[in-house]
Amino acid sequence: MNLKPLIFASALLAIGCSGGDKSTESPKPAKPGEKVTLEFQAFKGGYDIDLFAKAAKEFEAKNPDITVKVAGDPKVWEQLRPRFISNSPPDLTFPGWGMDHWGLKEEGQLLALDEALDGKPAEGEGTWRDTFEPSLLKMGQQDGKQWVLPHFFSVMGWWYDPGVFKKHGWTPPKTWEELLVLGEKIKAAGMAPITFQGQYPYYLIDGMLLPWANSAGGEQAVKDAQNLVPGAWKSPAILRAAQMIDELRVKGFYLEGCLAMNHTAAEMEFLKGKAAMVPCGTWLKAEMANVMPKGSAMEFMLPPVLASGKGDPTALLIKIEPWMVPSKGKHPAEAIELFKYMTSLSKAKEFVEKKGTLMAIKGSDEVKLMPELVAPAKAFKESKQVYADEFVSWYPDLKKEVENALTSMLNGQLTPAEFCDRVEKKAEEIRNDSTIPKHKLD
């Protein structure tokens, strides 16, 4: 999907605060019969905003006193920043990853949603909280409270063309050792084993670095790095992951020139059969659907792990798309009710069917999935460990340093050990900077 520009545009906000902190107050609904105009602004990417607008119209029909104004933009975060600064945000927003939502939380700009989650859902029995996948809900929590809610989510992994693999008699590698053997066979067939989105090294963080660190050192190794534990970014696990990325370079497994390619160019080389595999999230089909060469196909696989690694081989790196209710919006109670409706099981199933992505609502995948979504959905169900690259939004400067150091290593300018030293140095700077709010994974 055209989501990636927002992921690479992370920036801290300089947000002005005035008045009392309303972030933990219970929002009060409008009086009966009072007319309410609800404003909702969303990131307009590969999934568009048409289903958001449709849901808003349906919500209006169910609530005649409420009018919902829906707006979307590919760079909606640029429109939202001045509104948060002036304390006049919309009532509900999905700003994408181009906005530091944890910075908003620190400034008291987000409403805590625990009381709402413990209330009734738009459909069915129990609580609204019960309708969400717990592992995804947890990613929007800090300080014991829920600040951000998930909607659709992406599964990170690798992709291959099953037709190409079948033609050559290749089997998708499950282990690092199998990858090294297969890579030589792919090269012998005149194809590059792997391409990647070189202009956006973020893909390698999620597609190689963190999964391989998790495989080498287990879940704790990745947690420690994200929690800025001293020395964690040059731990044996991170070093091993960096060595694996570099070894693929030394063996000539990467498509020549891919370091200079943007996301769609690298992905097109994969679809054209120039490379056998590419790391990407489950937005890949939506992003490339209109330009896929005839006869090309894609299927999901987990990044190959170390056969003797400490980590869980079912571990899955995912990304939620953050939705939030601004504490200084005019109608937070009504905004919550709108989002309850948008996350009802029937609406979630509709989104899965029509947009081809997974949703954070339990049971929403119990529909006819598009072929490219079957394997990711299965991987999510079978995973014993679900995690995310939390540090990317917590510490944008650290993310940038990891990206730059990866590029330098892939250019042959840094050794894996030097990569680790460089990133650890930046982590230490952030760790010792008292002006930067610190976060911690449980």
Side-chain angles (χ1 to χ4, degrees), residues 7 13 118 146 211 240 257 277 287 333 341 346 371 418:
I7 291 178
L13 298 173
D118 291 331
Q146 189 83 39
R240 184 70 183 102
M277 294 168 284
E287 187 167 68
Y341 178 69
S346 60
E418 290 169 339

Side-chain angles (χ1 to χ4, degrees), residues 417-428:
E418 290 169 339
F419 163 84
C420 292
D421 288 340
R422 178 171 165 178
V423 177
E424 175 62 26
K425 182 179 179 182
K426 175 57 69 172
E428 183 178 8

Side-chain angles (χ1 to χ4, degrees), residues 39-151:
E39 188 182 2
F40 166 40
Q41 281 195 282
F43 167 70
K44 187 176 182 179
Y47 297 141
D48 209 335
I49 63 168
D50 56 323
L51 287 189
F52 303 157
K54 180 175 180 288
K57 287 295 183 185
E58 295 165 355
F59 183 76
E60 287 178 337
K62 293 174 180 290
N63 300 272
D65 291 333
I66 299 178
T67 299
V68 183
K69 291 185 176 180
V70 180
D73 191 271
K75 293 184 178 180
V76 69
W77 56 88
E78 294 182 354
Q79 300 168 4
L80 290 171
R81 284 178 184 136
R83 297 196 57 182
F84 276 106
I85 291 171
S86 63
N87 295 317
S88 59
D91 301 294
L92 176 67
T93 182
F94 159 40
W97 288 92
M99 178 167 278
D100 176 25
H101 51 280
W102 294 124
L104 292 172
K105 175 261 178 186
E106 293 295 331
E107 294 290 343
Q109 293 276 2
L110 300 185
L111 189 71
L113 298 167
D114 299 273
E115 185 175 338
L117 284 167
D118 291 331
K120 292 182 178 181
E123 293 177 355
E125 303 298 323
T127 67
W128 189 26
R129 185 188 302 275
D130 293 336
T131 67
F132 288 92
E133 291 285 353
S135 60
L136 304 185
L137 203 59
K138 186 177 181 181
M139 292 179 182
Q141 298 170 2
Q142 276 193 14
D143 305 327
K145 295 183 182 297
Q146 189 83 39
W147 304 98
V148 171
L149 288 177
H151 187 250

Side-chain angles (χ1 to χ4, degrees), residues 251-419:
K251 288 182 175 294
F253 279 16
Y254 298 128
L255 178 67
E256 184 176 355
C258 70
L259 196 56
M261 295 179 186
N262 65 18
H263 55 303
T264 55
E267 291 154 15
M268 179 55 75
E269 293 300 287
F270 157 68
L271 292 171
K272 286 160 55 177
K274 298 293 183 64
M277 294 168 284
V278 63
C280 197
T282 41
W283 60 82
L284 179 61
K285 179 59 183 293
E287 187 167 68
M288 303 301 288
N290 294 330
V291 294
M292 285 182 65
K294 185 178 181 179
S296 63
M298 58 180 73
E299 190 156 333
F300 177 88
M301 59 181 269
L302 289 174
V305 296
L306 291 162
S308 58
K310 294 181 181 179
D312 189 325
T314 70
L316 196 65
L317 197 155
I318 65 97
K319 290 197 71 67
I320 66 168
E321 301 297 334
W323 289 61
M324 56 206 74
V325 178
S327 60
K328 296 178 173 62
K330 294 179 180 179
H331 305 292
E334 288 77 12
I336 289 171
E337 292 305 312
L338 172 60
F339 195 51
K340 278 188 178 183
Y341 178 69
M342 295 177 72
T343 55
S344 62
L345 182 57
S346 60
K347 299 308 295 180
K349 285 183 174 181
E350 179 185 32
F351 205 89
V352 171
E353 286 186 302
K354 293 189 175 181
K355 296 301 181 180
T357 185
L358 296 174
M359 287 284 287
I361 306 304
K362 294 175 183 176
S364 57
D365 62 343
E366 296 173 2
V367 296
K368 183 174 176 56
L369 299 174
M370 71 177 194
E372 294 81 6
L373 212 55
V374 173
K378 184 174 183 289
F380 182 73
K381 282 184 177 295
E382 295 177 351
S383 179
K384 298 174 184 175
Q385 179 202 344
V386 176
Y387 67 108
D389 58 358
E390 305 281 12
F391 83 94
V392 167
S393 55
W394 288 351
Y395 312 115
D397 287 348
L398 180 58
K399 167 188 174 279
K400 189 64 178 176
E401 188 70 355
V402 174
E403 289 181 327
N404 290 341
L406 277 172
T407 298
S408 294
M409 185 174 70
L410 288 164
N411 272 323
Q413 298 168 333
L414 289 180
T415 66
E418 290 169 339
F419 163 84

